[in-house]
Amino acid sequence: MNGLEISPFIKDLPKEVNGDDGRPTFLEAYFAGCQVLITEDDFYELSMEYFARCAEMNVRYCEPFFDTQAHTERGISASTVVNGYLRAQQDGARKYGVKSNWIFCFLRDRPLQEGLEAYTAVRPWATLRDGTGKGLFHAVGLAANEFEKPPLLFEMGFRMAKEDGLHVTLHCDVDQKDAVEHVREAIFDVCGGQGTERIDHGLNVLDKPDLLPALKQRGIGLTLCPHAYHRRQATEILFPKIKKLIDEGVQLCINSDDPTYMHDVWIDGNMQKIYTFCALSKADMVKLARNSVDMCWADKDTKKEIIAQLDHIDVSV
């Protein structure tokens, strides 16, 4: 990371948890890396590389997160971004057999109005309730630095998306400032009190007694990325938490979090960590894979196809 130039867009970000050791934080590195994405072909090629890696790991379906604000800030049009992604969505399914539905993110360290304008600009590329739209994305979420930026700040954006027939998932990172309160808002308050449909990360649900029962009662799933947390938590602390969630019957699935920035640990590496450090069986791993199908927002035929393949896995050997 030496010599990494930090964009003025993110130079004033508060440091992440555990202090500042002089190196760029993940978010600084991420947004600096985004600066090489300029043309429609850049966004297309980035996505096709991703789908090629997915195919190597036998991933059949994925839901990538994206935003446009980090690019429009640099003078790149929103249409340049989403047209590149849309071509890749179509070609990734055709060339690699990897289907995808994408998730548009509001950047939570940017003003709400800017996020609403960003959503309005890309709305024609969504899968809209009335059957129009180009079908790139079918959900909205949150991204970027959540320091003192609780989910409810973006309630207007969530409501707009719900009115359009889109899904909502909320990023509640682990052990950040006010992490427990962010999880509470995601469960009880957003979307007019209905709560979010999924929580990305959300491991701090274990830190307050009333949150876990409410999470289960409302059927809100967690998308966990074990390696991202393992960077900061000891094995003997982290994995018992995840095992508790599994044992409690929480609907959760295993995912990868910005793998090229996280020591190149992808979904297979995250699944291996869970299998090893939570001492799970092969049947447990198939159940987690089924959870991911149940929790995702793929069409019925795609889900049926993947479930049929999971049903044929021999877990006795």
Side-chain angles (χ1 to χ4, degrees):
M1 293 294 186
N2 290 339
L4 182 66
E5 181 179 352
I6 303 302
S7 165
F9 175 49
I10 46 84
K11 68 181 177 64
D12 293 325
L13 284 178
K15 295 299 180 181
E16 297 182 76
V17 295
N18 294 344
D20 178 12
D21 62 4
R23 292 176 296 177
T25 66
F26 157 69
L27 288 173
E28 288 172 333
Y30 173 83
F31 283 115
C34 285
Q35 294 178 81
V36 303
L37 300 172
I38 298 172
T39 69
E40 181 181 316
D41 283 343
D42 290 336
F43 293 95
Y44 171 82
E45 291 169 7
L46 171 72
S47 307
M48 290 300 286
E49 289 287 338
Y50 176 82
F51 289 135
R53 185 64 179 267
C54 286
E56 290 174 2
M57 297 181 294
N58 201 27
V59 172
R60 311 297 179 82
Y61 173 84
C62 58
E63 295 182 343
F65 290 81
F66 77 100
D67 74 88
T68 57
Q69 290 169 266
H71 309 297
T72 55
E73 175 79 12
R74 301 181 293 112
I76 311 301
S77 70
S79 61
T80 294
V81 178
V82 290
N83 280 333
Y85 289 155
L86 181 63
R87 278 202 292 135
Q89 180 190 49
Q90 297 165 349
D91 289 351
R94 176 186 55 80
K95 183 175 181 179
Y96 297 117
V98 180
K99 298 179 181 179
S100 62
N101 283 305
W102 296 50
I103 300 172
F104 169 83
C105 289
F106 299 99
L107 293 192
R108 62 201 302 166
D109 54 359
R110 305 294 292 174
L112 169 63
Q113 185 58 39
E114 181 184 299
L116 298 180
E117 292 170 359
Y119 174 76
T120 301
V122 298
R123 186 177 176 275
W125 282 263
T127 302
L128 300 172
R129 188 191 304 277
D130 63 6
T132 63
K134 300 179 183 180
L136 171 65
F137 67 98
H138 62 175
V140 300
L142 296 174
N145 196 323
E146 60 190 76
F147 181 79
E148 297 185 347
K149 299 294 182 180
L152 271 175
L153 289 178
F154 295 86
E155 172 73 357
M156 187 178 297
F158 305 146
R159 293 198 183 201
M160 288 174 62
K162 295 285 279 188
E163 289 173 3
D164 283 335
L166 275 60
H167 301 284
V168 174
T169 183
L170 295 187
H171 188 284
C172 296
D173 205 356
V174 176
D175 292 344
Q176 298 287 336
K177 182 179 182 292
D178 301 321
V180 177
E181 177 60 22
H182 290 183
V183 172
R184 191 197 66 77
E185 285 190 7
I187 295 173
F188 292 109
D189 297 336
V190 300
C191 300
Q194 297 179 31
T196 184
E197 296 171 67
R198 294 194 320 221
I199 295 177
D200 305 308
H201 309 303
L203 195 60
N204 293 99
V205 71
L206 292 168
D207 295 346
K208 194 173 181 181
D210 64 324
L211 295 183
L212 190 58
L215 186 83
K216 294 166 61 177
Q217 182 181 11
R218 293 194 168 210
I220 300 172
L222 301 182
T223 62
L224 299 184
C225 304
H227 178 71
Y229 325 140
H230 204 193
R231 298 178 306 141
R232 294 192 176 117
Q233 294 191 27
T235 301
E236 63 272 17
I237 294 175
L238 170 62
F239 291 96
K241 295 178 183 178
I242 298 176
K243 185 63 162 59
K244 178 177 175 60
L245 291 172
I246 294 173
D247 292 343
E248 288 282 345
V250 173
Q251 188 178 45
L252 62 87
C253 63
I254 306 303
N255 301 262
S256 59
D257 188 0
D258 299 283
T260 55
Y261 288 91
M262 301 282 184
H263 310 113
D264 209 34
V265 177
W266 291 66
I267 184 62
D268 52 354
N270 279 276
M271 293 288 277
Q272 182 64 55
K273 284 197 169 192
I274 288 294
Y275 180 65
T276 300
F277 296 123
C278 289
L280 300 181
S281 66
K282 290 185 179 179
D284 293 330
M285 298 304 293
V286 171
K287 177 61 167 62
L288 287 174
R290 291 181 68 98
N291 284 353
S292 68
V293 179
D294 292 338
M295 291 170 59
C296 81
W297 296 313
D299 62 81
K300 291 181 180 179
D301 288 341
T302 298
K303 288 191 174 191
K304 183 177 179 180
E305 177 184 341
I306 299 173
I307 290 294
Q309 294 170 4
L310 290 173
D311 286 342
H312 283 87
I313 295 176
D314 185 356
V315 298
S316 65
V317 295

